[in-house]
Amino acid sequence: MAFPLTDEANPGIVPTGAPLAAPDVAALQHQMGLVSGFGAIGQAQGWTILPRFSLEEQFTDNVFEAAAPRRWDLTTIAAPGVAILGDLPRAQLRLDYEPDLSIHLENGSQNILAQQLNAVGTLTVVRDMVFIDLRALAGTQANNGGVGGRGGLGQAGIGGVTGATLLGGQAGEAGLAKQNRSETTSVGISPYMLYRFGDLGTGRLGVSLDRSTSAQLSGFAPLPLVSQGIDPQTATSVEEFASFATGDQFARVRDTITADGLQSRFSGVGTNSSVRDTVSNRLDYQINRSFDVYGQIGWESISYGGDNGLAITDMTWGFGTVLTPSPDLTLTIGYGHQDGANSVNASGSYALTARTSVTGSFTNGIGTQLEQVQQQ
């Protein structure tokens, strides 16, 4: 819901197709993906704590991954972990934490204690009005492998990160030499307010604070959110957002007005700061229950300072359609101008079974890697 509100690349669980009525406030507060697995909203389910322990033995004939000299090693990987699910009237939490200890028989310089964490939560301060969303990520991944893998940003299948758990596996990632692995961490907190003005619509107002770090592994136990290691990078961001979406009173028409401001400071990369301010108005018209067309217009001001300087100030626009041929299938296809370029955008979801769904998206945008981590 709040990380960030206007990110079209990461649509929430509330469908954008039929019907056009403003989404229920109770559903909006769980837009981060907290609904699945928690049962009915408002019914306290208590706490579920699932501890685990895994032990792996790994052999390699080239522990440093060098052409010469090749050195063998035998590695013991011990990984205790715990998954915590909490569903209380005023708090929902998903947390998975696993420290991975790798001990090498021959080459002690490769020993490492890596942190794996994935957590998202929502606190209700004032029922149906004021909320606080929380999230935390920590994990290691291949230097050139992007953000992914079971050993990447936390564990797969838990918490709010879904697109970042697609590549590789823990055993494959842990087998990489230390100089070929990086640790990335990110934490965020977002207090925000939702208010439903009867059938007129729903308004949202809030702020998000994020801090993210990434660095090539060095030392035995790198600390999350500390700028250490080789070539460390940090990003500290503040985002303000506001929106209003019309409700039932306007029948087939939905008008959504959004305003978003994002200010970021970076260190250790070619960019030292960025500012992104956007305003957008999107108008949807529902021809029938399966066919929605939309058009939008707005304004953007984007600037990046430093070696990779960039400045964009222009009008944004777009048009497209939302197809909902069945309750299990939603497809959005559009074309427009955003982030200084014309591009196609598309997203869709299909519920294969009651427990299995497939989603996909294609977008074009501008950002640093740590900004992408923060927007997962």
Side-chain angles (χ1 to χ4, degrees):
M1 170 59 204
F3 292 112
L5 179 69
T6 59
D7 182 15
E8 294 293 338
N10 295 281
I13 62 170
V14 178
T16 56
L20 280 177
D24 183 76
V25 171
L28 281 172
Q29 81 180 74
H30 291 82
Q31 224 177 35
M32 291 172 63
L34 295 174
V35 171
S36 178
F38 278 123
I41 298 173
Q43 298 179 6
Q45 303 295 314
W47 295 92
T48 301
I49 301 175
L50 304 173
R52 66 181 183 273
F53 181 81
S54 61
L55 186 67
E56 298 180 19
E57 202 69 25
Q58 214 170 60
F59 173 79
T60 177
D61 66 348
N62 189 1
V63 66
F64 292 109
E65 298 171 358
R70 298 171 66 91
R71 302 187 63 176
W72 72 274
D73 212 331
L74 191 65
T75 308
T76 301
I77 304 171
V82 61
I84 300 176
L85 305 179
D87 187 16
L88 304 175
R90 290 184 175 270
Q92 290 79 41
L93 172 69
R94 283 189 173 190
L95 181 147
D96 192 292
Y97 173 64
E98 178 185 292
D100 293 343
L101 174 63
S102 298
I103 301 297
H104 293 72
L105 181 64
E106 285 289 312
N107 302 279
S109 63
Q110 292 293 300
N111 293 346
I112 189 73
L113 177 62
Q115 307 296 325
Q116 312 284 349
L117 170 67
N118 196 340
V120 289
T122 295
L123 303 177
T124 301
V125 181
V126 179
R127 187 174 179 83
D128 295 336
M129 183 178 292
V130 181
F131 309 92
I132 299 177
D133 284 352
L134 308 165
R135 68 177 178 184
L137 297 171
T140 61
Q141 70 277 342
N143 290 344
N144 61 350
V147 180
R150 181 170 177 266
L153 290 185
Q155 297 297 325
I158 197 76
V161 175
T162 55
T165 56
L166 300 178
L167 304 175
Q170 182 180 5
E173 181 271 330
L176 290 175
K178 185 184 293 186
Q179 68 269 18
N180 289 331
R181 298 166 63 194
S182 297
E183 178 164 73
T184 302
T185 59
S186 181
V187 297
I189 180 172
S190 179
Y192 61 97
M193 181 175 66
L194 294 173
Y195 188 79
R196 187 165 184 173
F197 298 88
D199 292 338
L200 289 177
T202 302
R204 310 160 215 170
L205 179 68
V207 62
S208 294
L209 309 175
D210 291 272
R211 178 175 171 83
S212 302
T213 64
S214 182
Q216 182 181 316
L217 291 178
S218 69
F220 173 69
L223 298 176
L225 294 178
V226 176
S227 300
Q228 59 182 10
I230 302 173
D231 296 329
Q233 303 175 16
T234 64
T236 303
S237 302
V238 179
E239 181 176 16
E240 308 86 13
F241 54 86
S243 73
F244 180 83
T246 57
D248 295 343
Q249 184 168 327
F250 298 91
R252 293 178 176 268
V253 177
R254 179 177 62 243
D255 190 26
T256 304
I257 303 173
T258 61
D260 191 279
L262 176 64
Q263 307 87 43
S264 300
R265 299 288 299 178
F266 304 95
S267 65
V269 295
T271 298
N272 54 37
S273 65
S274 71
V275 177
R276 179 186 295 261
D277 297 316
T278 61
V279 178
S280 177
N281 186 19
R282 169 169 162 167
L283 186 66
D284 285 71
Y285 179 74
Q286 188 165 5
I287 298 176
N288 54 51
R289 294 190 61 84
S290 301
F291 188 28
D292 174 312
V293 294
Y294 72 86
Q296 65 183 44
I297 191 169
W299 172 86
E300 64 183 1
S301 176
I302 303 171
S303 65
Y304 285 84
D307 297 339
N308 298 323
L310 174 71
I312 297 173
T313 301
D314 61 6
M315 180 178 293
T316 61
W317 52 268
F319 58 88
T321 181
V322 181
L323 305 176
T324 315
S326 72
D328 296 332
L329 176 62
T330 299
L331 179 64
T332 300
I333 302 174
Y335 181 79
H337 182 86
Q338 190 170 341
D339 284 354
N342 297 342
S343 65
V344 174
N345 61 84
S347 64
S349 64
Y350 178 63
L352 294 174
T353 71
R355 294 191 176 190
T356 306
S357 62
V358 177
T359 65
S361 65
F362 176 84
T363 59
N364 181 69
I366 294 172
T368 69
Q369 183 178 17
L370 289 182
E371 283 182 321
Q372 297 300 315
V373 171
Q374 291 179 350
Q375 294 183 12
Q376 286 291 334

